[in-house]
């Protein structure tokens, strides 16, 4: 029996593919960055064709590097940047507009109108989300309103909508499968997380024809089979989850109360709340953690829009560093940034502030502030934002986690991990495999393929690589965090 799994991880800045053994160890991997388009202030787009072509390329490379015969791959799992919205022609599969990325704020005014009209409480009760440009519904509506003829074509059933998972599945299956999973659906603002169905009232509110929408399956299910001409064999796609939910699975956070935080382009902290959808009073999101055999495990999520993207900006935007890895040595020389705070609200602020009109700033500059202080402040901003989320969870009544499981590219930086533990006052645990997102969806595909009996068996594969224990004095922690709160207050739009 085939014992290997191919995970596709289509993220915000790169497409990746990793071949895993059934033991959850990476055997081969390939990665390709792709173009980010910023056509206007607050707008972020991707080219759907480039998403597809880079994904196909990395899949082929990873399979080739693994030395496996494609037929030895038991199943594929797809995980993805969530909320990013694509609309394509139902016959040709060609997108009718660039993908509108989750970070894109172009629908901020429409969201304000909806809130002013008093819709937020009802939308939140159905979806677990807030009215914010982050989610797919207002982006989809924007496409229908702004691409000539799109609404009429949608009404005639000639178009399909999907988040990136759904688009890739469509392409991989040669247009045979128009499906998504419950976690991705739960980020659209159109899906009722209680009934686990598209919500007809919300479709009406946002003006979305139902024919656009994909079928919603469990995270481990028969999604379709790849067209054999693409990867050298017809491989079943058996797993699917939004990247943050996949990371929850990869981190084996299966017990209520367990928390993980993933540091990719953004940072997303998710706490498993079990069978109960917990409603936050502090503007955290209620979302589907995973759905297996029709049973939902809910989660509470704090979403921060800029984490790794701050380091990317330091490198590519203002060119203070040549490589992301240089930040660790610079921060070690600096200590705690000497009162400099960088608030990376480049595309507004996410949880718990939800302020799409806020913009970034650097505070506390003095004559002797240099590159290393600004870089350190950029790294610290990621940790302070994590603390904001933990505070919101605590105010919602969640017990402080005994440890925070972390993953994603930034967690290789030991300085960041120690500062994170210090500023949270909570131990931070880094697993052996930090490609947790890809691993999580490989596990989901493996569950469906019968490589794993159940989640307990999956949890048995999780191993800690390092634990960072807080060692900062409480008074210092308090002083630093208060400085951050003051800086955030100054970038708020007041909207
Ligand atoms: O909600 C957006 C999120 O899924 C993006 O994840 O890893 O690309 O920052 P990432």
């Amino acid at each position: 029996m085939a014992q290997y799994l191919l995970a596709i991880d289509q993220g915000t800045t790169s497409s990746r593919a990793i071949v895993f053994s059934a033991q959850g160890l990476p055997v081969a991997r390939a990665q390709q960055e792709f173009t980010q388009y910023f056509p206007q202030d607050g707008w972020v787009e991707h080219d759907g064709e480039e998403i597809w072509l880079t994904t196909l390329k990395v899949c082929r490379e990873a399979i080739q590097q693994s030395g496996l015969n494609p037929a030895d791959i038991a199943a594929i799992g797809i995980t993805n940047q969530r909320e990013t919205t694509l609309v394509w022609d139902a016959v040709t599969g060609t997108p009718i507009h660039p993908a509108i990325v989750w970070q894109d704020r172009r629908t901020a005014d429409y969201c304000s109108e909806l809130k002013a009209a008093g819709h937020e409480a009802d939308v939140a009760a159905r979806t677990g989300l807030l009215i914010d440009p982050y989610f797919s519904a207002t982006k989809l509506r924007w496409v229908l309103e702004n691409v000539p003829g799109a609404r009429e074509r949608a009404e005639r059933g000639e178009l399909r909508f999907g988040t990136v998972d759904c688009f890739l599945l469509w392409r991989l299956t040669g247009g045979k499968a128009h499906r998504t999973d419950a976690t991705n659906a739960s980020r659209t603002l159109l899906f009722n997380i209680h009934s686990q169905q598209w919500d007809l009232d919300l479709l009406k509110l946002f003006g979305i024809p139902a024919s656009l929408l994909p079928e919603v399956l469990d995270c481990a299910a028969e999604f379709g089979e790849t067209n054999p001409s693409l990867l050298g064999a017809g491989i079943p796609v058996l797993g699917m989850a939004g990247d943050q939910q996949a990371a929850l699975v990869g981190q084996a956070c299966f017990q209520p109360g367990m928390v993980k935080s993933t540091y990719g382009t953004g940072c997303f902290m998710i706490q498993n709340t079990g069978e109960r959808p917990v409603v936050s009073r502090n503007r955290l999101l209620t979302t589907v953690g995973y759905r297996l055999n029709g049973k939902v495990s809910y989660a509470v999520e704090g979403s921060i829009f800029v984490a790794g993207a701050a380091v990317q900006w330091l490198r590519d935007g203002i060119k203070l560093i040549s490589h992301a890895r240089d930040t660790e040595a610079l921060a070690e020389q600096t200590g705690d940034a000497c009162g400099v705070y960088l608030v990376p609200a480049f595309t507004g602020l996410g949880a718990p502030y939800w302020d799409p009109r806020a913009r970034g700033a650097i505070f506390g500059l003095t004559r002797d502030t240099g590159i290393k202080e600004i870089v350190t402040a950029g790294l610290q901003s990621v940790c302070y934002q994590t603390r904001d989320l933990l505070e919101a969870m605590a105010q919602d009544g969640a017990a402080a986690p005994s440890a925070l499981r972390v993953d994603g590219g930034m967690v290789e930086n030991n300085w960041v991990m120690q500062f994170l533990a210090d500023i949270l006052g909570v131990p931070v645990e880094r697993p052996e495999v930090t490609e947790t997102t890809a691993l999580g969806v490989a596990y989901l595909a493996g569950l469906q393929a019968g490589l794993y009996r159940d989640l307990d068996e999956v949890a048995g594969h999780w191993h800690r690589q390092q634990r960072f224990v807080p060692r900062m004095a409480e008074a210092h922690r308090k002083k630093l965090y208060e400085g951050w709160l003051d800086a955030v207050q100054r970038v708020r739009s007041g909207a």
Side-chain angles (χ1 to χ4, degrees), residues 9-14 80-84 101-103 134-135 184 187 242-245 262-268 301 303-305 307-309 408 437:
D9 178 3
Q10 205 302 310
T12 311
T13 54
S14 72
N80 55 291
Q81 50 167 322
R82 306 166 304 167
E83 300 98 10
T84 297
V101 178
W102 56 276
Q103 299 156 316
Y134 177 28
F135 309 107
N184 274 298
R187 315 296 297 187
D243 56 6
Q244 303 310 319
Q245 283 88 341
T262 300
Y263 297 88
T265 304
C267 159
F268 301 87
E301 173 178 320
S303 324
I304 301 171
F305 298 150
T437 299

Side-chain angles (χ1 to χ4, degrees), residues 22 61 94 129 143 265 278 329 418 429 440:
E61 278 175 20
T94 307
L129 310 175
V143 172
T265 304
V278 172
Q418 184 57 51
E429 294 189 337

